[in-house]
Amino acid sequence: MSARNVLRQRDFRLLFVGQTVSMAGDAPAVLALTFVVLEIGGSPAALGGVLAARFVPLTGLLLLGGVLADRFPRRELMIAADLTRAATQAVLAVLLACGAAQLWQIMVLQVVYGGAQALFTPASGGIVAQLVPADSLRAANALVAMSSSLLRVVGPALGAVLIAAAGLGAAVAVDAVTFLISAVVLLGVRRPAASQRTTSEPLLSALRTGWREVASRAWLWTSIANFTVFSAVAVPAVLVLGPRVAQLEFGGPDGWAVIMTTFAAGAVLGSAVALRISAARPAAVCAALLAVAAARPALLVSGLGLPIIGVYSALSGAAVSMAMVYWRTLLQERIPLSVLSRVRSIDDFGSTLLTPVAYLATGQLAAYAGLHGGMVLLTAIAVAASVATVAVPAVRHVSGNTDAVAAGLPAASHPGRVR
């Protein structure tokens, strides 16, 4: 189904608009938060603490968020999360406007923000399958990915302009308004039917059910393991060591800006490609695409020159974006709606679990093995994990749910779940 036809579906259109608006406020707010911490006398270590204050509750509460999103109406959970994040950003904006912001206050607000995000993410991962028919899932996911990628390109620039024109507090206040707009727009989404809800299991039992759903599908847990390795190895290799490579070989910030911008631009293109082209064997395609993206750290230290590095960064961005679209669509097609949010939360949990340790360990590895040696080693690990994933028969054999799509069945009623 084309993007135009998907956007004609009222409830998805409202969801898409709300999420796009809220994402548009994120980049200026994150940029403002960085400089807020530094302006009030915080060190880089303090900035890391503030970012961790948001990240730790996000990771720790994701699994709980998945259970809640499978038990209660997902729309209402998303609205509650948006209103909570709007409140945290509004309070921070007022503190900044009054010149009263202190580091501990910022950290407390980030903890609340991260907890709300842990509630929102699994619910948003499950609600798309409730709002669109099966033949629209890939197009819907591609549109969301395209919007997110495009905002990553223009968001920092818009944030810099906003901060220069109106100040740090204004950027945070705008983010609060965008969350409020998202909540209001979500109120217009018709409440999806709750016929696929689970019984009210005890919390631990509900968590075990989610883990059993993952463990019973070899293609699923193998792919999640690969995403975990990619997130813990290839991503930190670029974000932690990449700026130093750019400083030494590509002219510093200008060269790094080229590398990051081309990656984001490639992600926009990749979303557009995934919108047009389906994958007959999506799990295997996702693993192969991650292998392409995982080679990026080694390319950064290859000595091939900034133009070629920029082209490959764009290719990597396209690969990651396409993998995300195909993967999310596959989950929506193959996982029962009654446990979809729990499975998505386990997927997200795996991708974020090792991130804090990985960021610290990557720097230590470079100190021990050298910048070039560390980048090559991390590339080898990530590429090997993706190749090993493709080698798993269950990964190669799982297909997109073409039967359900052809029959026009809703996502929640797909037959023939692949184990």
Side-chain angles (χ1 to χ4, degrees), residues 242 245-256 259 299-306 309:
V245 175
Q247 185 180 42
L248 295 175
E249 302 183 15
F250 303 128
D254 290 342
W256 185 239
I259 292 169
L299 264 292
L300 288 175
V301 295
S302 65
L304 291 176
L306 188 58
I309 298 298

Side-chain angles (χ1 to χ4, degrees), residues 345-374:
S345 70
I346 292 170
D347 181 23
D348 291 332
F349 179 76
S351 296
T352 58
L353 176 62
L354 300 178
T355 299
V357 175
Y359 278 104
L360 295 173
T362 298
Q364 295 299 317
L365 175 64
Y368 176 77
L371 188 60
H372 286 61

Side-chain angles (χ1 to χ4, degrees), residues 8-301:
R8 285 174 179 163
Q9 299 179 46
R10 174 186 177 277
D11 289 332
F12 174 75
R13 183 172 66 249
L14 289 173
L15 176 70
F16 176 75
V17 169
Q19 292 201 43
T20 300
V21 169
S22 66
M23 286 188 295
D26 288 343
V30 170
L31 186 63
L33 182 64
T34 300
F35 287 99
V36 163
V37 175
L38 296 178
E39 280 197 3
I40 64 175
S43 63
L47 177 58
V50 168
L51 297 178
R54 177 186 295 190
F55 183 85
V56 170
L58 169 60
T59 304
L61 297 176
L62 267 175
L63 298 180
L64 175 62
V67 172
L68 296 177
D70 282 335
R71 179 176 296 179
F72 300 107
R74 294 183 174 102
R75 186 195 69 162
E76 278 72 3
L77 290 175
M78 294 169 67
I79 291 171
D82 274 340
L83 291 175
T84 301
R85 289 183 291 180
T88 63
Q89 298 300 75
V91 170
L92 179 56
V94 170
L95 289 173
L96 292 174
C98 297
Q102 299 180 37
L103 189 61
W104 71 267
Q105 295 169 328
I106 297 174
M107 295 182 73
V108 169
L109 291 172
Q110 295 311 298
V111 168
V112 177
Y113 184 107
Q117 190 171 347
L119 187 69
F120 183 93
T121 301
S124 64
I127 199 171
V128 173
Q130 293 180 277
L131 298 182
V132 301
D135 63 349
S136 303
L137 285 173
R138 179 166 50 84
N141 289 319
L143 281 171
V144 173
M146 192 182 307
S147 172
S148 175
S149 299
L150 184 60
L151 289 170
R152 282 203 300 269
V153 176
V154 302
L158 292 177
V161 171
L162 177 60
I163 291 170
L168 297 170
V172 177
V174 166
D175 195 32
V177 172
T178 63
F179 281 124
L180 186 60
I181 292 172
S182 176
V184 171
V185 170
L186 283 170
L187 281 172
V189 175
R190 300 183 187 93
R191 177 183 291 186
S195 59
Q196 296 286 329
R197 294 290 174 192
T198 60
T199 57
S200 184
E201 300 176 81
L203 174 61
L204 292 180
S205 177
L207 284 173
R208 285 195 296 268
T209 298
W211 284 106
R212 282 197 299 268
E213 291 291 334
V214 172
S216 66
R217 297 166 170 83
W219 64 267
L220 179 55
W221 64 260
T222 303
S223 297
I224 290 177
N226 186 37
F227 278 109
T228 299
V229 172
F230 180 84
S231 299
V233 175
V235 175
V238 172
L239 297 183
V240 175
L241 305 182
R244 179 58 174 166
V245 175
Q247 185 180 42
L248 295 175
E249 302 183 15
F250 303 128
D254 290 342
W256 185 239
V258 169
I259 292 169
M260 297 304 289
T261 301
T262 52
F263 180 89
V268 176
L269 178 61
S271 302
V273 172
L275 176 64
R276 298 280 184 176
I277 301 175
S278 62
R281 295 289 184 267
V285 170
C286 286
L289 289 168
L290 286 187
V292 173
R296 188 179 175 212
L299 264 292
L300 288 175
V301 295

